[in-house]
Amino acid sequence: MDGARRRAAASRRRIAGRPVPPRGPRPTIRIGPPGRGEASGLGAGVPGLDAGAPRSRWLTRARALVLVPVMLAVVLVWLGVSVFQPGHGKGHGRVDVAIPARSSTSQIGSILSKDGVVSSGLFFRLRAVLSGRRSDLHSGHFVMARDMSYAAAIDVLAAKPVVPKVVKVTIPEGKSRHEIATIAEDDGLTGSYLTASARSPALSPRHFGAPRATSSLEGFLFPATYQLPGGAPASRLVAEQLAAFKLNLSHVRLAAARRKHLTPYDVLIIASMVEREAQVARERPLIAAVIYNRLHRRIPLGIDATTRYELNNWTRPLTNADLARNTPYNTRRRRGLPPTPIGNPGLASIKAAARPAGVPYLYYVVRPGSCGTHAFSSTAAQFQRDVASYNSARARSGGRSPTRC
């Protein structure tokens, strides 16, 4: 009876829409953080449902939606500062820049970057494009500065190019680096010629047989007349001299020198001495022959110009102390060639040094009153007679050189 009443009461409650709790022991309600391996939050206790994963993905997406615009803004600000360079000055110093005809904006940017005018060729191009001035850039010669802003560089290149004043720099045959440095300075070239002519990526003396310890480009600085912009750097003169040397050496036959076991560098050393000794063109092969013959017989060359080169003294008389110095450049005391060329020979002397005359001469001395020609001889006795004639003429002229016509 009691069971029937309970079933009836439950039926009435269902009809009323109220849920009927399940029969049996009531579930345990846990208060506090879940134990190890238990879920918490929404869906806790429901098999197959991880409530933390959807929330974590949502937070990651939310952070990305915030960070991406921030990062993009940072990149745009950096790019804008890099391209537009607020507060950047107009640079410092002076740089002569040559922009070849029909150069693209990229090529102009590369030239400016290489010359140190701007910091980036790419950003220069972007600035020119963004400012709409890409078509305003000219070719030609420009006087610019180092570390210019892109806008300042564009302003210079958009103006009319400078028509440079041309300076003719004449380098006589045989002059040494120190002598050429004075010429370069007198002609208004900038920078140190001695520094520029010490070494260059355009030419390595070792390629021509020079020793590893060779300390300068002496002998390779081809003598000629060069046309340069006024105020051009001395390094530009050096670059043109080296290019001229390579071109001229390509016309010289070195086979005869190689048969004598001489390197191209040896030929330059001989040519530099020939250039100093010869005053008449036809005597260059004869003087070269004397040098070859003395080298072959292991006789000291006895050429005082090598000592003059070492002392950088081309005008004052040499003293006995000068000639007694025991140095590699004193060819009175040392056999063989001096360590380096004693100047920079021209093409005629290089050809004479590469193919000397086939004569047996071992000596020469200036012939008095002959406009600088020499008396050549093969024996010491004849040489002494020639020297006596020279000294006699010198004494008659009051100790002055008797070489005048």
Side-chain angles (χ1 to χ4, degrees):
M1 185 67 182
D2 290 339
R5 284 197 296 267
R6 284 196 297 270
R7 287 193 295 273
S11 177
R12 286 194 297 271
R13 285 194 295 271
R14 283 196 299 271
I15 293 173
R18 288 180 293 183
V20 180
R23 303 180 68 179
R26 299 179 67 180
T28 302
I29 299 176
R30 183 182 298 277
I31 299 175
R36 185 167 184 173
E38 297 176 348
S40 64
L42 297 176
V46 181
L49 178 61
D50 182 1
R55 179 177 178 84
S56 176
R57 285 196 295 270
W58 181 87
L59 289 173
T60 300
R61 290 171 185 160
R63 291 192 189 99
L65 291 174
V66 174
L67 288 176
V68 168
V70 171
M71 293 176 64
L72 183 59
V74 171
V75 170
L76 290 176
V77 169
W78 171 80
L79 187 60
V81 171
S82 299
V83 173
F84 290 94
Q85 298 176 301
H88 198 99
K90 294 185 178 181
H92 57 87
R94 171 185 171 126
V95 182
D96 292 305
V97 178
I99 304 297
R102 296 180 294 278
S103 294
S104 66
T105 311
S106 297
Q107 291 170 328
I108 294 174
S110 297
I111 293 171
L112 297 183
S113 176
K114 181 180 179 181
D115 290 345
V117 175
V118 299
S119 56
S120 169
L122 173 61
F123 286 158
F124 171 84
R125 178 187 178 191
L126 288 175
R127 180 60 190 267
V129 171
L130 293 175
S131 63
R133 304 187 67 185
R134 181 170 53 179
S135 60
D136 296 340
L137 306 180
H138 293 102
S139 60
H141 179 270
F142 298 88
V143 178
M144 307 186 77
R146 297 189 184 281
D147 195 27
M148 298 180 75
S149 69
Y150 302 123
I154 290 172
D155 288 340
V156 173
L157 295 177
K160 187 176 180 180
V162 176
V163 178
K165 176 185 176 182
V166 175
V167 176
K168 290 185 178 181
V169 182
T170 299
I171 312 299
E173 288 85 352
K175 294 297 182 182
S176 68
R177 288 172 60 234
H178 284 85
E179 293 174 294
I180 299 174
T182 301
I183 296 172
E185 184 178 358
D186 291 344
D187 287 337
L189 301 188
T190 58
S192 170
Y193 181 87
L194 289 178
T195 300
S197 61
R199 60 186 56 85
S200 170
L203 184 147
S204 171
R206 291 186 62 193
H207 178 73
F208 298 87
R212 182 186 296 271
T214 302
S215 60
S216 78
L217 297 170
E218 192 81 86
F220 300 95
L221 305 166
F222 196 77
T225 296
Y226 299 91
Q227 295 189 7
L228 303 172
S235 58
R236 178 164 176 176
L237 172 60
V238 171
E240 295 201 15
Q241 286 180 285
L242 296 178
F245 169 80
K246 292 178 183 178
L247 178 62
N248 281 273
L249 190 67
S250 66
H251 300 302
V252 178
R253 297 173 61 183
L254 296 170
R258 290 195 180 98
R259 286 195 295 269
K260 300 289 185 180
H261 307 291
L262 296 175
T263 67
Y265 193 65
D266 294 331
V267 170
L268 286 181
I269 294 175
I270 295 172
S272 69
M273 292 187 288
V274 169
E275 199 71 80
R276 287 290 183 178
E277 295 290 287
Q279 299 182 47
V280 179
R282 67 175 181 273
E283 290 189 351
R284 288 191 177 100
L286 299 176
I287 293 176
V290 172
I291 295 174
Y292 268 72
N293 293 338
R294 282 179 164 257
L295 290 174
H296 179 68
R297 296 196 182 190
R298 298 182 60 79
I299 302 173
L301 299 180
I303 295 177
D304 292 344
T306 58
T307 296
R308 288 189 174 277
Y309 171 79
E310 183 181 24
L311 300 176
N312 193 27
N313 170 19
W314 298 105
T315 56
R316 301 184 307 275
L318 294 174
T319 66
N320 291 332
D322 294 334
L323 298 175
R325 289 163 52 92
N326 187 16
T327 73
Y329 285 94
N330 190 340
T331 54
R332 287 194 180 200
R333 295 177 61 94
R334 299 285 188 96
R335 290 195 296 262
L337 296 174
T340 68
I342 62 171
N344 296 277
L347 181 59
S349 290
I350 296 175
K351 286 184 175 180
R355 296 192 68 186
V359 293
Y361 298 147
L362 292 172
Y363 310 93
Y364 60 84
V365 65
V366 173
R367 194 188 303 274
S370 61
C371 300
T373 62
H374 292 84
F376 292 88
S377 55
S378 303
T379 65
Q382 181 59 49
F383 174 64
Q384 292 301 325
R385 288 192 290 271
D386 294 335
V387 170
S389 175
Y390 172 83
N391 289 335
S392 176
R394 183 173 183 177
R396 289 194 301 271
S397 64
R400 294 187 300 271
S401 175
T403 59
R404 295 181 181 178
C405 300

